[in-house]
Amino acid sequence: MLDYASFPNQRQALIKDHLQQTGRVVCVQLAKQLNVSEHTIRRDLQELANQGICKKVYGGAVINAKSDGSLVQRLDLNNDRKQILAKACIPYFKEKAFIFIDSGSTNLAIAKMIPQNLALTVVTHTPSVAVALQSHEYCDVVLLGGKISKQQGAAVGTSSLKQLQTMHFDLAILGACAIDVEVGVSAFDIEDAQFKQAIVKQSNNVLIAVTEDKLSSVARHKVTDLDSISILVTEEKVKEEKLAEFRKVELQLILA
């Protein structure tokens, strides 16, 4: 058996692999597994954090989420998987509900799947979502205005934020760059994070639909704790080791 205490590079490579597999690591467990001290593991995690691989949290670390680029670039990624997630979200759209749909390629897939005969009012700051709903005879669409961010494909500035703060929603479909049990929901862009915070504040219920890679990861700017989220929809293929922590949280976990 390799003496990991004497081989920091191999030790850190193993920790990195574990982060990529599960999204988070715990110091106590790693120290026992590798037969080294917790202090040694904390030094390793600091080195990996310095490399931008993870973020240190209490008792361990969480992997840093990777950006998939702008909304336009993300539209062609994992389409089949996003369609499955979108279908699982539709039962939460109730007749005559007042709903906000946030930016994001998965959320756009959700908007496109809303039944034609369902009467709703949908508010969005994302032009592509508004366009997708134009053919829905019974769906009233409100598009918030302002300067469009190329990264988000949505208006996330002061103008749209002021409009948003005058409304109260039955349900919000919130986009998430990363989501973790301890860190919560996070985003890459600070204006996007601030806008998402306002969405959560103005909504009775919040639904997030994410692919497996966004679970147990963290982005630069925190949006909200997980106790603000009502429903989390993710993929059925997610390993139980990763799902276990989310099952402990008081939210409805849907596997699609």
Side-chain angles (χ1 to χ4, degrees), residues 125-137:
H125 60 329
T126 309
S128 56
V129 169
V131 170
L133 293 171
Q134 280 301 290
S135 62
H136 285 57
E137 183 179 355

Side-chain angles (χ1 to χ4, degrees), residues 155-208:
V156 294
T158 304
S159 177
S160 55
L161 188 59
K162 286 182 177 179
Q163 296 170 65
L164 175 74
Q165 290 169 338
T166 67
M167 304 175 182
H168 293 87
F169 305 102
D170 299 311
L171 174 69
I173 309 300
L174 189 72
C177 300
I179 182 168
D180 178 73
V181 170
E182 184 175 332
V183 180
V185 181
S186 51
F188 292 113
D189 179 80
I190 189 167
E191 283 193 322
D192 186 36
Q194 291 170 344
F195 196 90
K196 292 180 190 303
Q197 289 168 1
I199 295 171
V200 172
K201 185 177 180 181
Q202 302 301 119
S203 304
N204 291 336
N205 295 285
V206 178
L207 182 152
I208 291 178

Side-chain angles (χ1 to χ4, degrees), residues 64 87-88 119 124 133 188 205 224:
N64 282 330
K87 186 176 180 180
T124 186
L133 293 171
F188 292 113
N205 295 285
T224 186

Side-chain angles (χ1 to χ4, degrees), residues 12-216:
Q12 289 168 21
L14 188 146
I15 295 171
K16 181 179 177 181
D17 182 67
H18 194 72
L19 277 165
Q20 291 171 338
Q21 291 294 322
T22 65
R24 62 166 39 239
V25 292
V26 178
C27 285
V28 174
Q29 295 174 354
L30 284 175
K32 185 176 181 180
Q33 179 184 349
L34 301 179
N35 196 28
V36 296
S37 69
E38 290 182 46
H39 178 69
T40 296
I41 296 298
R42 284 194 290 270
R43 285 206 318 266
D44 288 336
L45 294 180
Q46 184 61 61
E47 177 60 30
L48 292 173
N50 291 343
Q51 296 173 27
I53 293 169
C54 65
K55 174 183 173 62
K56 291 180 68 179
V57 296
Y58 181 76
V62 180
I63 196 166
N64 282 330
K66 294 181 180 179
S67 173
D68 291 327
S70 68
L71 177 61
V72 172
Q73 292 169 324
R74 284 179 275 132
L75 289 178
D76 294 327
L77 294 176
N78 303 317
N79 277 337
D80 291 345
R81 294 162 64 188
K82 292 172 184 176
Q83 291 292 323
I84 293 171
L85 291 177
K87 186 176 180 180
C89 296
I90 297 306
Y92 298 97
F93 285 71
K94 304 302 182 183
E95 188 81 13
K96 297 183 179 179
F98 190 45
I99 295 175
F100 188 90
I101 299 182
D102 192 12
S103 61
S105 54
T106 301
N107 290 350
L108 178 57
I110 294 170
K112 290 179 178 179
M113 202 166 283
I114 295 174
Q116 292 280 344
N117 61 350
L118 187 60
L120 296 168
T121 298
V122 172
V123 180
T124 186
H125 60 329
T126 309
S128 56
V129 169
V131 170
L133 293 171
Q134 280 301 290
S135 62
H136 285 57
E137 183 179 355
Y138 301 104
C139 183
D140 292 329
V141 181
V142 179
L143 178 61
L144 304 185
K147 183 178 179 180
I148 302 297
S149 161
K150 291 183 179 179
Q151 185 70 20
Q152 279 77 47
V156 294
T158 304
S159 177
S160 55
L161 188 59
K162 286 182 177 179
Q163 296 170 65
L164 175 74
Q165 290 169 338
T166 67
M167 304 175 182
H168 293 87
F169 305 102
D170 299 311
L171 174 69
I173 309 300
L174 189 72
C177 300
I179 182 168
D180 178 73
V181 170
E182 184 175 332
V183 180
V185 181
S186 51
F188 292 113
D189 179 80
I190 189 167
E191 283 193 322
D192 186 36
Q194 291 170 344
F195 196 90
K196 292 180 190 303
Q197 289 168 1
I199 295 171
V200 172
K201 185 177 180 181
Q202 302 301 119
S203 304
N204 291 336
N205 295 285
V206 178
L207 182 152
I208 291 178
V210 291
T211 49
E212 177 189 16
D213 52 292
K214 293 186 178 182
L215 294 177
S216 297

